[in-house]
Amino acid sequence: MKVKKHQVLTLSVLFSLIFLIIPLIFNPDTVTASSRQPPISQNEINISAKSAIAVDATSGQIIYDKNVKQQLPIASVSKLITTYIVLNQIQAKKISWDSKVKISPKVASLSQGSDFTNVPLQAGKSYTVKQLYDASLICSANAAAMALGEYLAGPNHDFGKMMSQEVNKLGIKNAQLYNACGLANSDLGALKDPNLKDNAENTMSAEGLAQLSQELITHHPEILKTTSMTSLKWDGKVYKNTNLLLGQTHPFKIDGLKTGTSDTAGENFVGTGTSNHDRIITVVLGAPKDQRFTQTQLMLNQISQNLFPTTIGANVLPTKAVNVINGVHKTTKIGPASPKTYWLPQGEKIKTDFVSNHNSKIFKTPLAPITKGEKVGTVNIKAGSDELDLLSGSETSVPVVYKVANPVNVMKMIMGALELLVILLLLIYLIFQIRKFNLRRH
């Protein structure tokens, strides 16, 4: 009987220890909801442009599309690529906004032409990168864009190669790029490339332009400060922004991005706007005369009337805080690193699954110190039986991170170490007693 009592006592202590330790290591949980959202069909929106697309700026979800992979002339929309390169160069500290750009006679000659949008530039005079950047985006100044191209790469064909390399890095393959401004080769005057046909001009797809715009807005949001300006004052004259939707507030507040027009391209417009902080990007290529803005408006109205935004934020997590061992604070908040928005028909819901970095559980109880922004896991976005239609390069997942830091509480760490030491000594004592008892039996 004594043997059984000791065995029962030993097992009871061990099981108690196991049940005390396990909750400190694992805390499993999951979250799910339901179904998916296809883009609005072409039958629901009567777009007469050759190509069109509407996407969410955060998730890359394609909400509407028509001939989105067709490569078409983009005219002055090309300046988005030029300014994207400028912004990358500034971010990399290779140039600055105050860097001086000296105007060549050929660029100055192009700026004096009245056939295309321009601001006058003087040969031999230097302008800042910021001045030329603003002129390119706000009033679509062709010579200003060409000056930036010359400053960054030299002759047309070299900057054209740089443009192609930059869009290729984004995974955009269906593009043919020759110059910084988007004019046809024959319209460049003294800047014409003798190695190209007269009708050579920049071409790209609506899908590619949507992807480029998403990249710009995500990594260079300062571009919207410029594209939202309704006019630019240059040498005492006021030049109006070519985006006539600026100032519109319903159903979306429009604040960018760029227009483009030519005989071969027709009317193009890459636009963006917000509704309750949810941002949409639209692209219309090859619209009939005076139709690029009305067609954009048609897409936005249909989206607003038929769909509603679902944001993947803290609401998709089963818990918004986790317990922390040895932390100054008992818990630390967690949440998605960057919320993404998906547009759904009424009554439908996105399906989500949370997967942590540890054994597919929500989290292991972490040990302080915890760094703000450290990745905990991922929220995977699922679409039921179908896949969400996304731009190339977009992912149906959102990283989950610690929202706040939690440093070590030294006293708590010492007390925890002492508790473990006591438990360890207790186990050693129990083992010793059992061995001692067994020796007595023999």
Side-chain angles (χ1 to χ4, degrees), residues 53 55 74 76-81 137 204-214 216-217 224 227 241-243 245-246 254-260 267-273 280-285 292-293 296 299:
I53 192 171
V55 304
I74 59 174
S76 282
V77 172
S78 305
K79 298 182 179 80
L80 287 180
I81 309 170
L137 284 176
M204 203 165 167
S205 68
E207 183 179 53
L209 286 169
Q211 191 172 339
L212 171 70
S213 301
Q214 184 190 31
L216 276 166
I217 292 167
L224 297 175
T227 61
N241 196 315
T242 53
N243 179 0
L245 288 184
L246 286 178
I254 304 301
D255 53 8
L257 289 163
K258 189 72 192 73
T259 60
E267 291 197 349
N268 301 331
F269 177 52
V270 178
T272 186
I280 292 287
I281 297 168
T282 60
V283 181
V284 170
L285 296 181
R292 59 185 166 192
F293 299 123
T296 299
M299 275 196 289

Side-chain angles (χ1 to χ4, degrees), residues 384-442:
S385 59
D386 299 306
E387 291 297 324
L388 283 164
D389 196 2
L390 302 176
L391 283 175
S392 175
S394 298
E395 296 182 359
T396 53
S397 65
V398 182
V400 176
V401 299
Y402 294 114
K403 303 299 285 186
V404 293
N406 199 342
V408 173
N409 183 327
V410 177
M411 184 56 67
K412 189 183 290 185
M413 182 177 67
I414 293 172
M415 292 302 296
L418 288 174
E419 288 176 8
L420 288 174
L421 180 60
V422 169
I423 292 171
L424 181 61
L425 290 173
L426 179 59
L427 284 171
I428 293 171
Y429 174 76
L430 287 171
I431 293 169
F432 174 77
Q433 289 297 325
I434 292 168
R435 291 186 65 185
K436 183 178 179 181
F437 179 80
N438 287 334
L439 287 172
R440 284 177 181 176
R441 288 180 59 203
H442 296 290

Side-chain angles (χ1 to χ4, degrees), residues 129-368:
V129 167
K130 186 64 165 65
Q131 287 176 310
L132 298 172
Y133 168 90
D134 286 347
S136 298
L137 284 176
I138 298 169
C139 44
S140 199
N142 288 290
M146 295 298 287
L148 288 171
E150 280 193 352
Y151 175 68
L152 293 172
N156 280 354
H157 62 274
D158 287 336
F159 188 70
K161 289 178 182 177
M162 182 181 285
M163 294 170 80
S164 297
Q165 289 169 358
E166 287 300 311
V167 298
N168 281 336
K169 289 177 186 177
L170 298 178
I172 301 169
K173 304 299 182 184
N174 49 346
Q176 193 70 50
L177 304 167
Y178 301 109
N179 63 65
C181 70
L183 288 175
N185 191 42
S186 59
D187 295 325
L188 290 173
L191 291 169
K192 175 181 174 181
D193 188 337
N195 298 314
L196 295 176
K197 294 180 179 179
D198 285 352
N199 63 352
E201 60 181 314
N202 297 345
T203 60
M204 203 165 167
S205 68
E207 183 179 53
L209 286 169
Q211 191 172 339
L212 171 70
S213 301
Q214 184 190 31
E215 183 75 12
L216 276 166
I217 292 167
T218 302
H219 297 289
H220 302 294
E222 63 270 28
I223 193 174
L224 297 175
K225 184 177 180 180
T226 303
T227 61
S228 62
M229 294 174 62
T230 56
S231 63
L232 176 70
K233 191 172 183 179
W234 189 279
D235 286 346
K237 184 178 178 180
V238 175
Y239 294 83
K240 291 185 177 181
N241 196 315
T242 53
N243 179 0
L244 301 185
L245 288 184
L246 286 178
Q248 173 186 289
T249 57
H250 182 77
F252 289 83
K253 184 179 180 180
I254 304 301
D255 53 8
L257 289 163
K258 189 72 192 73
T259 60
T261 310
S262 73
D263 292 338
T264 54
E267 291 197 349
N268 301 331
F269 177 52
V270 178
T272 186
T274 58
S275 175
N276 296 323
H277 307 293
D278 298 306
R279 182 171 291 279
I280 292 287
I281 297 168
T282 60
V283 181
V284 170
L285 296 181
K289 187 177 181 180
D290 300 328
Q291 289 293 307
R292 59 185 166 192
F293 299 123
T294 56
Q295 305 237 327
T296 299
Q297 185 71 53
L298 183 59
M299 275 196 289
L300 294 175
N301 286 339
Q302 288 295 316
I303 291 168
S304 177
Q305 292 168 15
N306 295 298
L307 306 176
F308 73 95
T310 296
T311 300
I312 304 301
N315 59 301
V316 306
L317 298 179
T319 182
K320 297 179 184 178
V322 296
N323 297 324
V324 181
I325 297 174
N326 295 338
V328 169
H329 308 289
K330 291 183 179 179
T331 61
T332 295
K333 292 181 180 179
I334 62 173
S338 55
K340 294 184 181 182
T341 301
Y342 299 87
W343 295 78
L344 309 168
Q346 292 290 335
E348 290 196 16
K349 294 180 180 179
I350 287 289
K351 180 179 179 182
T352 62
D353 286 316
F354 185 91
V355 180
S356 83
N357 297 334
H358 309 289
N359 304 322
S360 298
K361 306 297 182 184
I362 283 193
F363 52 82
K364 278 186 176 180
T365 302
L367 183 69

Side-chain angles (χ1 to χ4, degrees), residues 97-117:
W97 288 119
D98 295 325
S99 296
K100 297 292 186 178
V101 180
K102 189 174 181 180
I103 303 302
S104 68
K106 292 181 179 180
V107 169
S109 176
L110 179 67
S111 76
Q112 303 302 321
S114 58
D115 293 337
F116 308 105
T117 52

